[in-house]
Amino acid sequence: MVDEFTQTLLGIMVAVIMLGMGASLTPRDFYLALRRPYGLFIGVVSQYGIMPFLGFLLALFLVVPETIALGILLMACMPGGTTSNIFTYFSKGNLALSVLMTVTSTVSGVVLIPLILTIYAAALDIEIPREDIVKVLFVLLVPVAIGMSVRRLNANVGATIEFFGSILGVLFIVFIAVTWIPQNWQFLLNTTSATYTAAIGLGLVGITIGYFFAKSLRLHPRNARTVALETGIQNGPLAIAIIVFTFPPEQQQAIMAVPALYSLFIVIVSTCVTFVFRRANTAAEQKMPDSLL
Amino acid sequence: MVDTDRPWQAYYGANIRPVLDQATYRNIPDMIHSVAETYGKAKAFTCVLPNGMNGTLTFKQIDEMSDAMAVYLREIAGLNVGDRVAVQLPNCLGFPIAAFGILKAGCVLVNVNPMYTSEEMAKQFEDAEPHVLITIDMFADKVVEATRGHPIPNVIVTRVAEFFPAMPRGIVGLVQKYWDKVLKPIEVPHIRLPAALNAGREHIKNDRIEAEKYSQEVTLDDIAVLQYTGGTTGVAKGAMLTHGNLIMNMEQAMELLAGDMQKGEEVILTALPLYHIFAFTVNMLSFYWLGARNILIPNPRPLSNLKRAFENYKITWMSGVNTLFNGLNNEIWFRHSPPKHMKFAGAGGMALQAAVAERWREVAGCDVLQGYGLTETSPVLTFEPLGKAREGTIGIPVPSTEVACFDEHGQKLGIGEVGEIAARGPQIMKGYWKKPEETDNVMIDDWFLTGDIGVMDEDGYFRIVDRKKDMVVVSGFNVYPNDVEDVIATHPGVLEVAVIGVPDNSSGEAVKAFIVLSDKTLKQDDIRSFCKDHLTSYKVPKRVVFRDELPKSNVGKILRKDLRAEEMAQMAAE
């Protein structure tokens, strides 16, 4: 359950996160994403090809109630999150590529998320409030647009919003941990291990598949690591916002289980992956030192 | 009318005068002030960080702040005309304030590479004997060690986000301190740059001092900058560049761009370090003079640090070295959205590879033209005229400059004859600081010998065929094999060492060390990390090979040229 205060706070936080994401963008990014289909291709395939299919398989084969399955599917259909950019930074990946992929998947999400959700939900025989989801996605594009214009008017204000937005991305997870978990403690104790498997597996398997997908495209190891993180790390706050604003309160607890647990576990998973990637990066650096400027 | 001694004049564009008048300013401070009068509230310098946070100063602010700097140096630090002030800063707003303030005070600016280790700094300080050091908080921890030999009583410390609006400045400071952990405690007594400026302003107000009076006594023939270089022999020495040298080279460089660049309208990107003579003269002095807005990048590595600058500003010109252009050609974000407003780019510091220039044209949609010069020549000597560049050449001499090839007896050679490239013109240095014998080695009358072996074709285009000295040029930075060998030789497990430069696709040349070990268990990485402790990163050998012996002459001198020949033969075979 989410009380009204928490709900408002969640809404504000997501809005600020999206504002920050907007401040990291220029209109040129959109234009380019459309003009250069290769980046778009990688982003779209990993976010809306690999991840939803993985979510679909998890929902299909794990024995979970319909509401949990819906949560898995929703989480799997989300675009890349801004936290992926932070982890890419720490794992010494290609930050520009990470940002580009997050942007591409967020923007194309307006069309693709409802579409893919509808298909998989039909396959799993689950009902979804499609129109409401589209509405929330659109509403959340407003702060993105505001963020973009702010940056255009003043780069310093833009960069500051972006900075606080990404900090809030992390704080959001802390917020979930301290508010949602205690409130839903009993529910979490009673839920089956399948729910946890889905919440952890989505990120872990997503990163793994993303890595091999990038490898199969013969991307540079650094870029492959970036694509991997980008694929596995979803926009958790967005999923939670969609649930809070589109589903009736009595259903929210169960639907939100996987997105909330995913948001917590992805931090742990990504941190471990970042350590592995950093080591791989150091090894590569010793073999071929980056040239001097 | 084409001068037969200067066939290149036929290739000057219509806007280029072959001979420039005497300098139009009394000295650099005169230029700084009168330019500020013209452009006043226009934006002069903007420092842009990787996340887009930035700070801007106008021409008027730069003028006012450098006045305050000058007054601080003269009245509070107690300096006199000709006293040296060391500046060890990356590109940031503090740089032009410090540099202009020093020159306005009639003092001599000594540029120090901020990446230097304390050992390297100490050597330079002992030679230049600066009275004041202006440095940045990130590197100030090296000062104690570096000033053991030559104590510097006054240390002024700035920071990368200095003069930014309060919010971004605070955020950058916090991130640097607690996140990146790049700010170490500063153990020397020091004053912060804004405090020093305020102290200077107090004096201006209370004692009615005008900074202008300090530079009244400075002539074009007085030293403005001591720019350190290994020169042709590898002994570190300060090239004495006068106010006249720099003003004339500034005008020579801008003459080439006349017609293509508009006064007061350009936005230029300075990703190359200002402590290097190329960016110092061309980016900082010349484009300030043109009234351009100068976008300063504190650290261009990784290259994605430039992304926000390219997105947020309409860059019309940039300078770079081969490595930078090559790097940008290979960045996804740059290829996808190349700068739309760029007219052309200028390359220097190292040979620009034809393939890189060609690829740049495809990617960025504009030309990249290279110039050639040395620290001793302020630096520009030759350039490629727009639309008339010739592959494999360094172009033609700039106005008011003669370039010729000399034989070993100091005789001028004719067209097509290979010899040492020499130059004369108003940009040739006054000499080396406190090293007259070194100066004599490189001057024949008023001709300066570059140490590069070249040839001139019938149209006056020059081509470099070899280098007289063993110097290695890594991405525009000179590395002297002696320096590197001296360090490696101190390693207890090393018996003998020889260092040469080898061609390298990314940096032009790379440092390669050939080592005979006494401790056979040592690995390449041990040597490299040992070097990293004692040398700036660009001097650290990119390649290390172990040998059982090194080629030697009959008197036992290690023959670097044999190693080089071996390397070339091997490359040819591949």
Side-chain angles (χ1 to χ4, degrees):
Chain A
M1 283 298 286
V2 174
D3 59 47
E4 204 163 315
F5 171 73
T6 316
Q7 187 173 337
T8 315
L9 209 57
L10 270 176
I12 293 172
M13 285 176 98
V14 174
V16 175
I17 291 170
M18 299 307 271
L19 201 65
M21 184 187 273
S24 73
L25 301 177
T26 63
R28 196 151 52 162
D29 291 320
F30 293 89
Y31 169 68
L32 285 169
L34 292 173
R35 233 189 63 190
R36 305 276 169 168
Y38 191 64
L40 193 75
F41 165 77
I42 298 174
V44 166
V45 170
S46 65
Q47 291 298 347
Y48 300 117
I50 295 173
M51 289 303 280
F53 187 62
L54 175 62
F56 169 71
L57 291 181
L58 287 171
L60 192 64
F61 290 111
L62 292 171
V63 183
V64 288
E66 192 176 294
T67 42
I68 299 281
L70 181 53
I72 297 174
L73 198 57
L74 248 178
M75 197 59 244
C77 292
M78 287 299 108
T82 44
T83 22
S84 64
N85 305 344
I86 299 174
F87 283 106
T88 299
Y89 173 80
F90 284 120
S91 64
K92 307 207 167 177
N94 185 341
L95 194 57
L97 177 65
S98 175
V99 173
L100 190 72
M101 284 179 66
T102 308
V103 172
T104 311
S105 62
T106 305
V107 174
S108 49
V110 178
V111 178
L112 290 177
I113 293 170
L115 189 73
I116 290 171
L117 263 180
T118 311
I119 296 170
Y120 284 117
L124 289 171
D125 208 12
I126 306 176
E127 288 232 354
I128 54 155
R130 198 179 48 192
E131 285 76 22
D132 292 343
I133 292 175
V134 175
K135 256 184 245 163
V136 172
L137 286 171
F138 261 112
V139 168
L140 282 175
L141 281 183
V142 174
V144 173
I146 295 174
M148 281 173 66
S149 7
V150 166
R151 167 169 168 196
R152 202 185 162 81
L153 291 173
N154 187 322
N156 269 327
V157 178
T160 308
I161 292 177
E162 192 187 345
F163 176 77
F164 285 116
S166 54
I167 286 188
L168 211 61
V170 179
L171 284 184
F172 185 86
I173 294 156
V174 178
F175 181 74
I176 292 287
V178 299
T179 62
W180 190 80
I181 291 188
Q183 282 180 33
N184 298 274
W185 189 243
Q186 208 49 50
F187 170 79
L188 286 174
L189 285 179
N190 294 336
T191 196
T192 60
S193 61
T195 308
Y196 291 95
T197 309
I200 299 170
L202 194 59
L204 194 60
V205 180
I207 290 174
T208 314
I209 299 180
Y211 184 75
F212 288 106
F213 166 62
K215 273 280 182 189
S216 72
L217 295 174
R218 294 170 186 276
L219 295 188
H220 186 278
R222 203 165 84 107
N223 294 341
R225 295 196 288 268
T226 309
V227 171
L229 282 172
E230 194 62 37
T231 307
I233 302 178
Q234 305 284 83
N235 195 335
L238 186 61
I240 291 171
I242 288 178
I243 295 165
V244 169
F245 295 114
T246 54
F247 289 92
E250 61 277 11
Q251 282 185 15
Q252 283 181 12
Q253 185 183 50
I255 300 176
M256 215 193 271
V258 167
L261 289 173
Y262 166 88
S263 298
L264 299 176
F265 283 115
I266 195 66
V267 178
I268 300 164
V269 169
S270 306
T271 307
C272 299
V273 169
T274 298
F275 275 112
V276 176
F277 281 177
R278 272 180 86 100
R279 189 164 298 170
N281 190 57
T282 318
E285 261 180 354
Q286 279 165 354
K287 263 181 270 163
M288 36 180 193
D290 275 355
S291 63
L292 261 147
L293 185 74
Chain B
M1 185 58 200
V2 174
D3 190 329
T4 47
D5 247 11
R6 301 179 176 191
W8 54 78
Q9 287 181 5
Y11 294 86
Y12 283 169
N15 295 315
I16 302 180
R17 294 168 292 168
V19 177
L20 302 182
D21 307 329
Q22 282 303 306
T24 36
Y25 299 100
R26 275 182 288 121
N27 47 38
I28 299 173
D30 183 26
M31 184 277 286
I32 294 166
H33 185 66
S34 74
V35 168
E37 293 278 282
T38 312
Y39 297 104
K41 286 185 182 157
K43 291 168 177 143
F45 292 94
T46 297
C47 178
V48 179
L49 299 185
N51 64 4
M53 288 184 181
N54 62 87
T56 296
L57 293 174
T58 64
F59 284 89
K60 205 174 156 69
Q61 284 173 310
I62 288 284
D63 194 36
E64 186 274 330
M65 289 166 129
S66 53
D67 274 357
M69 182 83 235
V71 173
Y72 176 85
L73 292 173
R74 291 296 291 262
E75 308 299 327
I76 299 165
L79 303 195
N80 289 310
V81 172
D83 283 347
R84 272 83 53 215
V85 179
V87 172
Q88 188 172 27
L89 297 176
N91 294 354
C92 60
L93 293 173
F95 197 105
I97 296 169
F100 291 177
I102 292 163
L103 298 175
K104 282 180 172 181
C107 297
V108 175
L109 164 64
V110 182
N111 277 317
V112 185
N113 184 338
M115 303 306 286
Y116 266 178
T117 62
S118 43
E119 292 164 54
E120 291 165 319
M121 285 159 71
K123 267 189 210 163
Q124 197 172 334
F125 291 158
E126 276 162 37
D127 190 70
E129 299 176 313
H131 299 261
V132 176
L133 167 66
I134 305 175
T135 187
I136 192 151
D137 50 8
M138 290 158 71
F139 302 115
D141 59 312
K142 292 185 287 193
V143 175
V144 175
E145 190 66 33
T147 52
R148 287 252 158 83
H150 169 79
I152 301 179
N154 276 291
V155 177
I156 302 173
V157 177
T158 184
R159 48 185 164 176
V160 76
E162 199 85 272
F163 310 118
F164 280 32
M167 190 70 155
R169 187 176 68 225
I171 292 175
V172 172
L174 288 175
V175 169
Q176 281 191 314
K177 189 159 183 182
Y178 297 106
W179 197 255
D180 295 340
K181 299 212 166 82
V182 290
L183 302 184
K184 287 161 214 142
I186 305 171
E187 284 155 16
V188 287
H190 62 277
I191 181 171
R192 291 279 170 171
L193 180 63
L197 296 185
N198 282 337
R201 285 185 187 115
E202 284 292 303
H203 265 273
I204 294 176
K205 207 169 79 188
N206 298 340
D207 306 342
R208 297 178 183 281
I209 297 174
E210 294 219 1
E212 229 180 313
K213 73 169 186 189
Y214 305 134
S215 57
Q216 301 270 313
E217 31 191 326
V218 174
T219 69
L220 288 172
D221 202 35
D222 286 322
I223 307 168
V225 177
L226 275 191
Q227 189 73 25
Y228 275 76
T229 166
T232 46
T233 54
V235 181
K237 46 201 174 286
M240 298 186 284
L241 302 177
T242 65
H243 285 258
N245 288 153
L246 292 168
I247 287 185
M248 285 310 290
N249 203 233
M250 173 191 101
E251 293 194 0
Q252 289 168 323
M254 291 327 279
E255 187 71 17
L256 311 177
L257 306 180
D260 298 308
M261 294 275 135
Q262 304 306 316
K263 283 194 160 198
E265 284 175 21
E266 308 296 334
V267 180
I268 72 151
L269 183 79
T270 303
L272 297 183
L274 290 172
Y275 59 78
H276 190 284
I277 191 65
F278 179 39
F280 185 87
T281 302
V282 179
N283 289 52
M284 190 176 73
L285 292 179
S286 304
F287 280 92
Y288 174 86
W289 174 78
L290 195 79
R293 180 179 190 181
N294 205 323
I295 308 295
L296 303 176
I297 306 294
N299 178 14
R301 292 197 323 142
L303 282 174
S304 54
N305 284 1
L306 301 177
K307 186 167 180 274
R308 287 291 160 95
F310 275 114
E311 284 171 355
N312 293 355
Y313 306 93
K314 292 175 177 166
I315 311 281
T316 58
W317 186 86
M318 72 175 283
S319 62
V321 291
N322 190 69
T323 321
L324 178 66
F325 293 117
N326 192 29
L328 285 174
N329 285 343
N330 292 308
E331 287 285 310
I332 309 175
W333 58 268
F334 188 82
R335 283 209 308 270
H336 284 187
S337 64
K340 271 187 284 188
H341 304 271
M342 195 172 297
K343 296 175 178 174
F344 61 96
M350 62 193 276
L352 177 69
Q353 291 160 352
V356 172
E358 186 50 44
R359 182 96 181 87
W360 175 267
R361 250 188 301 280
E362 284 167 26
V363 171
C366 67
D367 279 307
V368 50
L369 298 177
Q370 73 171 324
Y372 162 81
L374 294 88
T375 299
E376 291 88 338
T377 62
S378 302
V380 190
L381 281 180
T382 72
F383 74 108
E384 292 184 306
L386 200 55
K388 294 174 213 149
R390 289 189 188 175
E391 201 179 315
T393 76
I394 52 169
I396 57 177
V398 295
S400 290
T401 300
E402 270 184 273
V403 179
C405 295
F406 280 52
D407 67 12
E408 55 267 46
H409 308 295
Q411 294 302 308
K412 206 165 154 183
L413 297 168
I415 290 161
E417 292 180 299
V418 174
E420 184 170 3
I421 296 176
R424 68 173 171 187
Q427 72 273 55
I428 306 294
M429 63 163 183
K430 195 171 182 173
Y432 292 118
W433 174 249
K434 297 195 299 193
K435 290 194 170 59
E437 65 295 347
E438 291 280 348
T439 309
D440 291 343
N441 283 339
V442 295
M443 300 297 297
I444 299 177
D445 301 325
D446 54 350
W447 287 88
F448 168 75
L449 297 169
T450 62
D452 284 320
I453 307 298
V455 59
M456 180 180 86
D457 69 14
E458 67 277 10
D459 296 325
Y461 281 71
F462 285 81
R463 185 187 302 275
I464 292 178
V465 295
D466 197 5
R467 200 179 292 138
K468 203 168 135 189
K469 49 210 174 188
D470 287 326
M471 183 177 83
V472 187
V473 182
V474 180
S475 299
F477 287 98
N478 297 355
V479 178
Y480 298 92
N482 283 338
D483 284 356
V484 183
E485 288 173 2
D486 288 351
V487 166
I488 297 176
T490 61
H491 193 292
V494 170
L495 196 62
E496 281 176 339
V497 56
V499 165
I500 61 166
V502 293
D504 183 271
N505 280 336
S506 59
S507 58
E509 283 187 311
V511 177
K512 182 166 182 174
F514 295 80
I515 296 172
V516 181
L517 291 175
S518 54
D519 172 3
K520 301 283 182 197
T521 62
L522 283 178
K523 298 271 175 299
Q524 268 95 340
D525 284 342
D526 298 327
I527 300 294
R528 286 172 44 82
S529 65
F530 180 76
C531 289
K532 271 184 199 148
D533 293 338
H534 299 275
L535 296 165
T536 321
S537 59
Y538 64 81
K539 297 181 186 171
V540 174
K542 190 168 180 179
R543 284 161 227 171
V544 174
V545 291
F546 297 128
R547 290 285 171 93
D548 291 329
E549 56 178 348
L550 295 174
K552 294 195 188 88
S553 70
N554 44 18
V555 293
K557 190 169 176 274
I558 295 173
L559 294 171
R560 290 190 191 126
K561 68 176 172 61
D562 285 14
L563 288 170
R564 251 197 310 267
E566 196 184 301
E567 200 66 22
M568 290 302 173
Q570 203 178 336
M571 286 190 71
E574 283 164 12

